[in-house]
Amino acid sequence: MFTEENINESTISELQDAMQKNELTSRKLILHYLSRIASIDKCDGGLNSVLEVNPDALFIADTLDAMRVNGTVLGPLHGIPVMLKDNISTGDKMHTSAGSVALQDNFAPYDAHIVKLLREAGAVILGKTNMTEFANYMTRENMPTGYSSRGGQVLNPYNKDKHPGGSSSGSGVAVAAGLCTVAIGTETAGSIMSPAMQNGIVGIKPTLGLVSRSGIIPISSTHDTAGPMARTVRDAAVLLSVIAQPDPNDFATQSRKFSLVDYTKYLDKDGLKGVRIGINRSQKLDNFALSEEEKAIFENMCKVISNAGALLIDNVNIDAESGPPFNMREIMQNEFKACMNYYLSTLHGSTKIKTMKDIIEYNQANAAVALKYGQSILLEAENNTSGTMTEPKYIDALNRREEVIAEFNRLFDDNNIDVMVCETFTNIAAFTGFPSMTVPIGQKQDKIPIGSFWISRRFDEKSLFRVTYALEQILNARYNPCK
């Protein structure tokens, strides 16, 4: 018999089964999460991961419960509460601000495409999660991950003295702490991977072009993508299967023949057998170098996957500093102004902020609240780029990106590998648009989880799900920090 105590760690399929058996309703599920938000997140010393709750959540749940009673189930997320990072537009009674007080009055006049797909699949959008302001692309003045001027500081549920990862900080914490079933984050350069790893959950940054970018407060059209954050690989697969659909308003999703995929079909507990896995041991980025404790956990994982039948090809190395360097910063900076100004134009007067310049001027006029850590990146983008993306350095960086994509493809080909696992995080997947994924593999003495970092070929999320699901079943390394 399903009980309320089961909810915190229940998967989507388990919750669906309980609702189908009349042991649970979507309304009871929402109320359970709201109670946890009040007692764990919004209390004194709370985690501060939830920025806003949907005022219509219970009414939506009632509607979905009535539909189920009448024999109608919209899809795999029918009645399931989903949290959204605060840079994802919703055409409802919630704000979309990217954590910025400059956009705190913005009620977007439309749903982002992925939100439309979530609603069509029966999801209840439970609320918006706090985040590193403007997805950690506001200032170079040491803004902590998980801090925003609108929401304040997100705390890590495993150890409140440690950072929560960013910029999808609130989404990672809310999932880890059992404040929702699953969440959506966004990534430009590590913003899903970092909080997923730091909070002991599963995260996937899909291939650029697999998931729509429209309706999301942007940084870079070349790098931005939304992706699932979940407690299990299966839940991440369910969520990606829903949001990975073409969007008529996003050409990136139309650049290839698109076929809808149910990624749960590729979950196999024996999925490591016969898989060729390249190991990237490059550690030229000192701030991502492994401690001895982390090395031991990584080596244990390698032993586990080898014992499960995978073939390991060691020292297949590529990272941000190998060969002629790629200039991710040049691309991001030049695209930021153009992309932000276009997004703001789609709001049709729902906020007084119309341009990036308006954001800067608002922040300057309200510096005590808005500029605790400055806005150097906003100023650089406004003052040093044209917003037309015609700068020669930008175009050179795009061409270098094409070269790196070809180099990365050859690395997979020459070593005949299916997937790559990296000792440390690298921006290579974000720069090239290759998909990446993380799943917990252990825990440090300071209680912070350790996540593995996986990369596959573009549009081969199937291989990522295959290997990470099998690894998850063997290690079972995740635990709830807020039981």
Side-chain angles (χ1 to χ4, degrees), residues 40 43-47 154-163 448:
I40 294 173
C43 59
D44 290 342
L47 300 173
V154 180
L155 300 180
N156 191 305
Y158 291 91
N159 184 334
K160 291 181 180 180
D161 293 328
K162 301 296 182 179
H163 73 86
I448 295 298

Side-chain angles (χ1 to χ4, degrees), residues 86-335:
D86 184 47
N87 60 348
I88 301 172
S89 294
T90 53
D92 53 21
K93 298 174 183 176
M94 290 186 290
H95 301 84
T96 304
S97 71
S100 170
V101 291
L103 292 175
Q104 64 186 343
D105 66 344
N106 174 38
F107 289 100
Y110 58 86
D111 278 344
H113 187 70
I114 60 171
V115 176
K116 175 176 174 287
L117 295 173
L118 289 168
R119 294 194 204 274
E120 289 175 352
V124 181
I125 307 303
L126 179 57
K128 298 287 184 78
T129 55
N130 201 358
M131 58 183 283
T132 316
E133 189 163 344
F134 285 122
N136 204 25
Y137 207 64
M138 179 177 176
T139 180
R140 304 193 195 285
E141 308 307 318
N142 298 314
M143 178 186 284
T145 61
Y147 174 81
S148 71
S149 60
R150 182 181 171 214
Q153 182 65 52
V154 180
L155 300 180
N156 191 305
Y158 291 91
N159 184 334
K160 291 181 180 180
D161 293 328
K162 301 296 182 179
H163 73 86
S167 62
S168 303
S169 315
S171 293
V173 170
V175 170
L179 308 181
C180 58
T181 308
V182 289
I184 300 288
T186 68
E187 176 160 329
T188 304
S191 286
I192 291 174
M193 294 297 102
S194 166
M197 287 176 159
Q198 197 72 2
N199 291 284
I201 63 169
V202 176
I204 179 164
K205 181 204 78 71
T207 306
L208 184 77
L210 186 69
V211 173
S212 170
R213 303 163 300 169
S214 64
I216 299 174
I217 297 177
I219 294 176
S220 164
S221 55
T222 300
H223 300 124
D224 291 354
T225 186
M229 303 181 78
R231 288 185 288 272
T232 68
V233 173
R234 181 174 292 278
D235 280 359
V238 172
L239 198 51
L240 186 62
S241 301
V242 168
I243 64 174
Q245 297 190 40
D247 175 7
N249 295 315
D250 185 351
F251 284 108
T253 67
Q254 301 176 49
S255 60
R256 56 185 282 276
K257 185 177 179 180
F258 215 108
S259 58
L260 302 184
V261 178
D262 178 0
Y263 291 102
T264 64
K265 293 182 178 179
Y266 300 93
L267 306 181
D268 180 359
K269 64 181 180 64
D270 296 319
L272 284 163
K273 289 182 179 178
V275 175
R276 293 177 59 87
I277 299 174
I279 300 178
N280 178 5
R281 295 188 182 276
S282 183
Q283 294 190 32
K284 295 182 180 180
L285 297 175
D286 291 340
N287 55 322
F288 290 120
L290 293 182
S291 66
E292 292 303 314
E293 184 180 23
E294 291 167 329
K295 286 180 182 178
I297 292 174
F298 182 85
E299 291 305 324
N300 177 68
M301 181 201 69
C302 290
K303 181 179 179 180
V304 165
I305 59 180
S306 177
N307 290 342
L311 178 62
L312 304 185
I313 298 89
D314 212 340
N315 295 305
V316 180
N317 294 332
I318 187 167
D319 63 37
E321 301 298 322
S322 63
F326 59 74
N327 198 335
M328 196 169 185
R329 177 176 173 176
E330 194 74 45
I331 294 176
M332 291 166 64
Q333 185 180 67
N334 278 275
E335 292 180 346

Side-chain angles (χ1 to χ4, degrees), residues 276 278 313-316 410-418:
R276 293 177 59 87
I313 298 89
D314 212 340
N315 295 305
V316 180
R410 282 195 294 273
L411 192 72
F412 276 82
D413 290 340
D414 292 349
N415 292 279
N416 190 25
I417 57 175
D418 300 299

